[in-house]
Each structure stands twice: as structure tokens, then as C-alpha cells.
Amino acid sequence: MERTPNPSDAGRTGDRDGRAAEPASTPPTEPAVTAVAPVADPDAPGWRRAPLGPDERRADALLAGGLLVGALLSLVLTTTAGIYDDPAAPWASVLCLLAVTAPLAWRRRWPSAVVLLTSVAFVASGVLQVPETLFANIALFVALYTVGAWDPDRRRATWVRLVVVVGMFVWLLATVFIAVTDPDSMPGISRAGAFSPLVAFLLIQVLTNILYFAGAYYFGDHSWASARERARTAWRGRQLQLERQLVERQAVAIERLRLARELHDAVAHHVSMMGVQAAAARTVLGMDPARAAAALEGVEESAREAVHELHGVLGTLRDVESWDLPDGGAYAVSAARTAGGAGQPAAPGDPVGSLTVDQIPALVARCAETGQAATFQVVGEPVRLPPLVSLNMYRITQEALTNTRKHGGPDARADVRLRYVPGAVELEIADDGVGPLRSRQPGSGGLGLVGMRERVAADGGSLEVGPRSRGGFLVRATVPLAHAGARS
């Protein structure tokens, strides 16, 4: 705050009471604060700036010490210049300057308390005629600015600053009133005229103080808002990082489920066929060695195909770059290159991705060779299916035929129909086996039906499964081609 005129010093040029306060044009430079990842939403009530570290506390102590040294040097120079007729005693001046500057060492830890102490010491130095104003004004500006920039209780920050500003202006106006009403005050300045030099001088003091306190108030609030915006940006970045890691882990989980489905479908189908063929070979081994040999050849072929498909699936696991994602790195699996991964076309020669509806006739024929009655029929004009849809149709057929073989009974007959209808493809596998008894088969976990539903859902289609009214079991999958094409 600008100190008011002193009647005894009115005629001196450069008088401490005639000198304008030294308002800072820019806010004090804040030491760099070590970035700390926010742990709470900056928009939540009670948010506060990051705690001070050793470097920040050391910077505040150095600021307080530098201002004290500057104030003492200014005190010596002003005393030597003899500007004040009746200055305060040297020891009183030193104590006042120490009280004004020293609290700034704790300005960011207890900003409200520091500005109150600094304000009281500032007023005391003015009343006692301490011959130093430059560094005292800087210290008060810094203290007032710090309240707006660092006090976490915004209501308290507002009230404390208002109390200090109002108190300073009351002191200023009281001093101005005394100077105006006392005829002996400021004899060197003319009082003649409505707008005398004395009135102009006093208006300069008021205007200077208005700019001084308004600057400290504005820059303090601006610093707080800037810090909060930086914290908000960092917090949102952290939320996006966590969300990205969650999405990556979900992608890994989805890929694991896909691999589990592929393993289940490959192992269940081929092992089931191997079991049927081995049982047939054991039955006819003594009576018809040729038929037994043919059945064993079928077991060998099923085993070879199972190993071939398992190599394709397990090759995906070997190509995974990162399952655990310890650094939140990019999720990458070779399945993104196959029809079963991200819905992209399979690489040439991939034993898993090369399974399409074109292989369904061969699948049905192999089932017939093992003694299971099965037929295949295409209805409608065939169209090119997206790779993921084509693979899923093959796997659903494979699983349905496996279920017929396991649960439909030895005489069950399966009819496979692939229908191409406008805007969709429909796959239907119907058999005439025991049907309803399947739900009571021991050891049937139902993972095959779950896998079917997941595959159809991935293509945006619908699945109908259940016993037929006239006996047997029905599996019908319908996939809209426009929806599936968009996903693929």
C-alpha cells in the first residue's frame, strides 16, 4: 500500500510520503513445481495444489532472504540521503523490515497467516516512519498475491484479501483526510483552486493503490485458475491412460475367449470323431480287419487335422507381444491378422483363418464317413461372406455336428442348410436325435452353445437353439450381411 503524506516532510522532493507505491506489473515468478500426478478430480470440492517439495520451500526462503537484504540496503541508502526528518530508530526499522519480509519464507504453506502478519508489519513501519518503502511494498504485493494463488480455502482467501485491502484503504483515506484538513500539512504544495496540486497529488496516491491491490488480487486468482486447469488436464490425461489400459486388457480378455472357443471347437469335434472311429475299429477288428483299418485311418486323419488346427491357434499365442501390458503399451496379437481376431482377413495359409463355409461340405462328408448320417444343402444364390462370418459359420456347423454325434444317438441324422437370403445368411443344422435329453446328459457343460452365441453376437446376428417339436434338435444362426460387413 502507498503510505500517506507526512505533514513534516511535505516540502521535500522524493519524500517517502510523496512517492508512489511500487506496483508490480507482473506477478512474482513462481519456482517450478515438480509435476505430481493428481490423485483427485480438480473439479471436486476441497481440491488443493500439489504439496510443496524441498526445492519450493528453499525458493521461498531465498525470496524472503533476498527481500530482507534488499530492504536493509534500501534502509541504509534512504537514511544516508536524509530524506526523513524524524525516521524510526535503526533497531526499530530493522525489526519492522524483518517482520515484513521474513514471513514470506512460509508464504505458500500458510498464505493467509503470512499476509496478515506482513500487513500489520507494513502498517507499523509506516506509522513509525521506517525510511524504506520499495521492498516493503514488494513484500506486501507478494504476500497478497500468494493468498490468491495458493490458499486452498477459496472463501477464506477472498475474505482475507478483502480485509487487508479495505484496511489499507481505510488507513490511506484517514491519512489523506488529515492531510487535507490540516492547514500546516504539506506547505510546499499549493491548495489553490478546485483542482489544486494537492488534490492531484492525493488522487495519484489513490489511483496507484487501486492498481497495486487490483494487480495483486487478479494475478493471484489467475495463478490459482491456471494451476487448476493444468491439474485438470493432467487428471484427464491420467483417466484416459487408465481407460486405455482397461480397453487393452479387455481386448486381451476377448482374444483369450476367442482362442478358448477355437480350442474347444477344434478339440471337441476332432476328438469326438476319433472316439467314434476308434470305437468302430474296436467293434469290427476281429470280424472285418479292412473296415477296422479304414476306421483307424479316419482316426489318424482326424488327429492330423486337429493338430493342424491347434498349431494355428497356438501360433496366435506365440505371436502375442504383450499379455500383461505392464507399461500400458500397445496391445498386439497376431489374431488381428486372422479372421478370428479383429475381423480382418486371414493370412494366406493360416489353418484357422482358412476355415470358411467352402469347407462345410468336406466337414459333412467326413462326418458321413465316420458313420454319422449327414447332408448338406445350399439354398439361394451364394454371395461372398466376410471372413469372420465365414469362419464362424464353419465353427457353428462343426460344433452342432459334434453335439449331434455326442447327444443325438447312434442313428441320429443331421441336415445342414446354408441359406442366402436378401441382406443376410442363415445356417441351420437340424437332427432327429433324442433332443430334449441333451440337457440332462452328464458332464455336458454347455460351452459349445455359449461359444455359438458369442460368435453370432460378434457378427451382430441372432441364434436359435433348442429341441424340435417333432423330436431332435435345431440350431439356426442368422447374420445380417450389411452389419457383419461393417464389423469385418
Side-chain angles (χ1 to χ4, degrees), residues 36-38 232-250 325-330:
V36 178
R232 185 180 293 113
T233 301
W235 184 80
R236 289 174 179 171
R238 177 61 177 166
Q239 293 300 110
L240 290 176
Q241 182 182 14
L242 294 176
E243 183 177 352
R244 184 188 67 183
Q245 293 176 355
L246 176 61
V247 170
E248 290 170 347
R249 285 176 169 80
Q250 288 175 342
L325 304 171
D327 300 324

Side-chain angles (χ1 to χ4, degrees), residues 7 43 78 101 134 155 159 203 257 265 372 448 451 456 462 464:
D43 292 324
T78 304
T101 57
L134 175 62
R155 183 187 300 273
W159 281 107
L203 288 178
L257 290 176
D265 293 344
Q372 178 184 357
V456 174
S462 60
E464 177 186 351

